[in-house]
């Protein structure tokens, strides 16, 4: 386990020697200490990234050359898949098979953006058809500059990859700050980048507190672009900081995503996707479908099966075989989720199952997967993100009512709809106000497809070619090709 900052190609302690604790959420044990970067350390990292961008030629390499590094990083992740997966489990708490999936996905993300970096070489510019044939015009894409990437704790290496891979592919250099509760695998990413010979300063990783290290990134005048995933409150601060000197900004924030299930759906399939939509990663998923709307004809039988299957989910240490629900990431998160369940009960909701600590777990931030029924529409349990294994289920009568209830939210990250009637499912998918809509499933995410939210769930899109666009400027180059003088002032 690494414990130092990675700045300008070297490992270094924090300049004031400060560290913070790494706690395994399954055991509550302090398993490590990591450097807590100061504003001065962040300044050094940004300056290194600036030099690597301005002088040392990273943006000047061809896309194909940059792609070679990205593929080497992908292979480096794969070569250490089991070891990195284990680090993710002891840091974040998620079950081993989930972490294994994330790490494979992270490697795939680097491969995917290697492909897009290569395509930048084959399509370096786009000719623009102009109505005026005295001019020819083209659009060229150029990297924005130094990217400051700030990520949350729910998918540590994957969120790092969603930002670092497209940024490097585009030719940007990066200062990455992982969440303070899950920094281990971001440091491994730096180690892999180092091993494959990524030039110094191209990727810098600064661990530490949001209000110190994160704030220093967003306030830094030499950072050109901020890419953030996390809470809406910090997202607002980032947008305000970006506004001061017009930094480019992309935000992936929270959600309270609906899942509309029509009564022609297969109940078994519906229950499986409801479970996957909320209990994967202990519900600590920005796109979790945490508001489930079930058409009244199947509400009772669906609830019965949902409760049965929810109670069957094996809870435990993510390193143990067969575990499908690990502990929440931290004490703070555990307490917040428990408080949200208590608030839901106080508002009149019924706990259909879960809601308490599982028996036999004296240590670790474990919580039984929870189904809430009768949740009032104006209660915070229905309107605000809980970010834990807690789903609110309500019946509805008509399609119109379901769409209105689903869209009645300040968030718009994701939504899901299930129906045997494909025409209806497609119609509802179009009517839902969300950046991602799943039909007959919930949560599968693909590196090739755009990811991001409507409304207060964010700005911009990650993944796919949209993810690369986040790190590119578009330059217009227009040439006057007529032999005739312009003839405005001089006739
Ligand atoms: P958070 O906003 O508290 O922290 C996210 C990151 O921001 C961390 O690295 C933190 O250190 C940093 N940070 C905190 N204060 C900062 C400041 N003043 N300046 C700069 N950086 C600062 O969120 P979290 O608790 O880590 O994650 C949970 C939230 O993230 C949830 O609301 C969830 O919905 C959201 N999320 C969204 C997505 C998505 O793709 N849309 C993905 C994961 C998580």
């Amino acid at each position: 386990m690494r414990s130092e900052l990675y700045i300008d190609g070297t490992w270094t302690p924090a300049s004031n020697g400060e560290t913070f604790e790494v706690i395994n959420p399954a055991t509550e044990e302090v398993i490590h200490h990591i450097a807590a970067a100061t504003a001065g350390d962040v300044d050094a990292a940004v300056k290194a990234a600036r030099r690597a961008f301005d002088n040392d030629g990273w943006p000047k390499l061809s896309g194909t050359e940059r792609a070679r590094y990205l593929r080497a990083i992908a292979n480096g992740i794969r070569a250490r898949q089991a070891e990195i997966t284990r680090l993710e489990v002891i840091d974040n708490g998620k079950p081993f098979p989930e972490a294994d999936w994330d790490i494979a996905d992270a490697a795939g993300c680097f491969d995917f953006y290697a492909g897009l970096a290569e395509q930048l070489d084959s399509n370096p510019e786009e000719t623009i058809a102009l109505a005026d044939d005295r001019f020819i015009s083209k659009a060229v894409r150029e990297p924005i500059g130094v990217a400051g990437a700030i990520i949350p704790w729910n998918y540590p290496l994957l969120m790092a990859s969603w930002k670092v891979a497209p940024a490097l592919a585009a030719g940007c250099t990066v200062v990455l700050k992982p969440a303070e509760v899950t920094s281990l695998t971001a440091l491994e990413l730096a180690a892999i980048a180092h091993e494959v010979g990524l030039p110094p300063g191209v990727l810098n990783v600064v661990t530490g507190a949001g209000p110190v290290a994160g704030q220093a990134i967003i306030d830094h005048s030499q950072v050109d672009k901020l890419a953030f995933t996390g809470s809406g409150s910090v997202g607002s601060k980032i947008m305000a900081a970006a506004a001061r000197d017009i930094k480019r900004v992309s935000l992936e924030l929270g959600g309270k995503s609906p899942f509309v299930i029509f009564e022609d759906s297969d109940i078994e399939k519906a229950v499986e996707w409801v479970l996957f939509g909320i209990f994967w990663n202990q519900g600590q998923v920005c796109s979790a479908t945490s508001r489930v709307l079930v058409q009244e004809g199947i509400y009772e039988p669906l609830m019965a099966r949902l409760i049965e299957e929810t109670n069957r989910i094996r809870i435990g240490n993510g390193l143990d075989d067969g575990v499908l629900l690990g502990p929440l990431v931290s004490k703070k998160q555990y307490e917040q989720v428990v408080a949200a369940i208590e608030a839901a009960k106080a508002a009149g909701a019924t706990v259909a199952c879960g809601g308490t600590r599982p028996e036999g777990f004296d240590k670790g931030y474990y919580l039984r997967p929870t189904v809430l029924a009768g949740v009032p529409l104006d209660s915070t349990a229905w309107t605000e993100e809980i970010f834990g294994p807690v789903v609110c289920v309500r019946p509805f009568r008509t399609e119109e009512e379901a769409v209105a209830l689903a869209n009645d939210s300040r968030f718009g990250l994701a939504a899901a709809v299930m129906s045997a009637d494909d025409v209806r499912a497609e119609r509802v998918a179009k009517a839902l106000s969300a950046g991602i809509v799943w039909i007959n499933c919930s949560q599968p995410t693909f590196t090739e497809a755009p990811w991001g939210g409507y409304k207060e769930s964010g700005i911009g899109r990650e993944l796919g070619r949209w993810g690369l666009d986040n790190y590119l400027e578009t330059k217009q180059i227009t040439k006057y090709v007529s032999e005739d003088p312009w003839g405005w002032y001089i006739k």
Side-chain angles (χ1 to χ4, degrees):
M1 289 189 285
R2 312 214 166 236
S3 51
E4 294 186 313
L5 313 172
Y6 184 68
I7 299 174
D8 208 9
T10 26
W11 295 97
T12 166
S15 48
N16 63 1
E18 293 280 311
T19 60
F20 60 94
E21 291 178 344
V22 178
I23 295 170
N24 180 342
T27 61
E28 299 182 35
E29 284 163 355
V30 176
I31 54 171
H32 197 47
H33 290 85
I34 292 183
T38 63
D41 298 324
V42 169
D43 182 55
V46 172
K47 286 185 172 145
R50 191 76 260 166
R51 281 194 300 277
F53 188 83
D54 291 341
N55 313 327
D56 298 338
W58 179 252
K60 313 235 166 40
L61 293 183
S62 68
T64 307
E65 286 167 311
R66 289 198 299 272
R68 259 186 233 124
Y69 288 102
L70 291 178
R71 289 198 204 284
I73 292 174
N75 290 335
I77 294 173
R78 279 191 206 101
R80 295 215 208 137
Q81 168 104 15
E83 176 200 332
I84 300 175
T85 299
R86 193 174 173 283
L87 285 182
E88 205 79 300
V89 175
I90 61 174
D91 207 11
N92 166 283
K94 61 177 73 195
F96 194 93
E98 286 194 33
D100 196 42
W101 176 303
D102 291 358
I103 306 310
D105 233 14
C109 184
F110 278 93
D111 272 338
F112 176 79
Y113 282 104
L116 290 200
E118 287 158 353
Q119 283 176 29
L120 285 174
D121 290 348
S122 47
N123 299 310
E125 55 192 45
E126 186 187 335
T127 305
I128 316 288
L130 300 176
D132 187 335
D133 64 6
R134 293 173 300 167
F135 299 89
I136 51 174
S137 195
K138 60 188 179 184
V140 297
R141 315 299 312 277
E142 294 180 349
I144 290 176
V146 174
I150 300 178
I151 56 171
W153 42 257
N154 58 348
Y155 289 91
L157 188 68
L158 196 56
M159 290 296 111
S161 307
W162 283 21
K163 291 177 171 50
V164 173
L168 297 188
C172 289
T173 56
V174 179
V175 177
L176 169 71
K177 196 203 86 64
E180 40 279 65
V181 280
T182 55
S183 299
L184 293 176
T185 52
L187 292 173
E188 285 312 307
L189 178 63
I192 290 167
H194 190 83
E195 279 162 25
V196 306
L198 193 74
V202 171
L203 172 65
N204 306 273
V205 179
V206 286
T207 46
V212 181
Q215 190 72 39
I217 293 175
I218 68 177
D219 286 341
H220 205 294
S221 62
Q222 292 184 33
V223 172
D224 305 292
K225 149 90 192 177
L226 296 172
F228 173 74
T229 298
S231 63
S233 57
V234 177
S236 292
K237 284 186 194 161
I238 287 179
M239 211 160 157
R244 283 202 291 273
D245 51 0
I246 319 295
K247 290 186 196 334
R248 277 68 188 128
V249 64
S250 48
L251 305 174
E252 301 284 348
L253 309 174
K256 189 74 186 179
S257 301
F259 189 168
V260 177
I261 300 170
F262 286 97
E263 57 198 13
D264 56 1
S265 303
D266 178 296
I267 289 179
E268 291 304 299
K269 286 183 184 156
V271 167
E272 167 79 327
W273 284 113
V274 170
L275 296 170
F276 196 73
I278 188 66
F279 298 136
W280 174 253
N281 208 23
Q282 293 66 246
Q284 302 164 133
V285 182
C286 50
S287 57
T289 35
S290 51
R291 288 187 295 142
V292 174
L293 293 155
V294 183
Q295 203 165 19
E296 56 185 3
I298 57 165
Y299 179 80
E300 294 298 336
L302 187 145
M303 275 299 265
R305 285 290 295 127
L306 179 62
I307 292 163
E308 207 175 343
E309 288 301 327
T310 300
N311 282 332
R312 232 178 240 160
I313 293 174
R314 175 140 177 237
I315 305 170
N317 186 320
L319 292 176
D320 293 343
D321 274 350
V323 164
L324 286 178
L325 196 96
L328 296 182
V329 71
S330 64
K331 184 164 191 274
K332 180 176 157 218
Q333 191 63 16
Y334 174 82
E335 285 170 353
Q336 276 176 10
V337 176
V338 169
I341 294 170
E342 293 309 314
K345 287 198 296 200
T350 310
V351 178
C353 67
T356 55
R357 227 182 139 75
E359 275 176 33
F361 288 84
D362 302 330
K363 284 273 173 205
Y365 310 123
Y366 293 100
L367 184 66
R368 287 171 61 208
T370 303
V371 178
L372 298 178
V375 182
L377 290 174
D378 60 355
S379 65
T380 53
W382 186 259
T383 59
E384 298 302 317
E385 188 172 50
I386 295 177
F387 224 59
V390 183
V391 64
C392 303
V393 192
R394 283 185 68 96
F396 71 90
R397 284 202 180 139
T398 65
E399 177 179 324
E400 196 185 20
E401 183 196 355
V403 170
L405 283 171
N407 286 343
D408 185 16
S409 172
R410 63 192 174 90
F411 300 110
L413 182 56
V417 53
M418 181 172 267
S419 172
D421 177 349
D422 199 44
V423 173
R424 170 161 63 186
E426 291 278 349
R427 184 173 62 232
V428 171
K430 289 206 178 96
L432 291 168
S433 236
I436 305 136
V437 181
W438 286 286
I439 295 179
N440 296 339
C441 61
S442 174
Q443 304 307 313
T445 299
F446 302 94
T447 313
E448 304 84 351
W451 180 272
Y454 284 15
K455 301 193 263 185
E456 290 185 38
S457 290
I459 288 186
R461 294 290 176 274
E462 293 195 291
L463 297 182
R465 65 180 166 79
W466 301 267
L468 190 71
D469 288 347
N470 270 331
Y471 299 93
L472 291 168
E473 289 281 21
T474 301
K475 178 185 276 177
Q476 176 204 146
I477 301 180
T478 295
K479 192 189 286 182
Y480 185 60
V481 291
S482 167
E483 290 300 322
D484 296 334
W486 186 231
W488 189 274
Y489 290 105
I490 304 173
K491 303 283 180 197

